Amino acid sequence: STQSKIVLGVDDAPENLFMLQAAIKHAGYTFLGAKSGIECLSLVSRVIPRLILLDIEMPDMDGYKTCCKLRPYPDLRHVPIAFLTARKTPADVTAGMEAGGNDFIVKPFDHVKLIERVRHWTTRSVGRARPSPQASAQVR
């Protein structure tokens, strides 16, 4: 279905959304972009993506808080959330996993490796998404 190919990217920097959109569309997915945590929450009330790529540093609501607000939605419990961020300390990764994230991808990202992670998360069987074994590994 079309819905199974939707990837939602959340980042307050338009240039980052543009780069994500180009990479995601080139790989054959439908891309939806949100410029804030609040916009993301509004969007998922209308469309359930197959994967959410979530920045951490955003002005209105950071990615950790956004993730915590996404997880209680019954329709989103099984949607993997990958943090896509410039933050990369072990404490950042731990905070992301504790907030309900499943993966942690460090910017600047390698496009090929990003699409590998997207394919991994969008092709797994539906069930409570669990952290990736590589979640603490930086994808570059």
Side-chain angles (χ1 to χ4, degrees):
S1 75
T2 306
Q3 189 157 334
S4 67
K5 298 285 274 180
I6 295 173
V7 175
L8 170 58
V10 187
D11 197 308
D12 60 314
E15 61 275 11
N16 290 343
L17 285 177
F18 180 78
M19 283 191 307
L20 262 182
Q21 179 177 21
I24 299 297
K25 281 189 164 189
H26 182 73
Y29 294 87
T30 299
F31 181 81
L32 297 176
K35 295 184 228 67
S36 69
I38 291 169
E39 189 178 336
C40 169
L41 293 172
S42 173
L43 194 57
V44 297
S45 70
R46 299 184 306 271
V47 177
I48 304 300
R50 187 62 193 95
L51 171 66
I52 299 171
L53 298 172
L54 183 58
D55 188 21
I56 292 175
E57 295 182 39
M58 296 184 289
D60 65 338
M61 180 188 319
D62 71 25
Y64 301 133
K65 184 174 252 185
T66 302
C67 190
C68 287
K69 288 186 175 280
L70 289 167
R71 280 298 174 217
Y73 284 73
D75 290 342
L76 298 174
R77 283 197 192 123
H78 303 299
V79 174
I81 297 173
F83 286 99
L84 182 59
T85 180
R87 297 180 66 170
K88 58 184 174 187
T89 69
D92 293 323
V93 175
T94 299
M97 298 304 113
E98 288 175 354
N102 304 95
D103 207 345
F104 204 91
I105 303 165
V106 177
K107 295 180 202 169
F109 58 87
D110 174 279
H111 288 251
V112 172
K113 289 182 180 173
L114 173 71
I115 296 308
E116 285 174 6
R117 302 308 305 147
V118 168
R119 286 199 174 110
H120 168 80
W121 289 113
T122 58
T123 57
R124 29 188 349 238
S125 61
V126 177
R128 167 63 177 112
R130 290 188 185 85
S132 156
Q134 296 92 3
S136 61
Q138 297 177 17
V139 178
R140 292 199 163 225

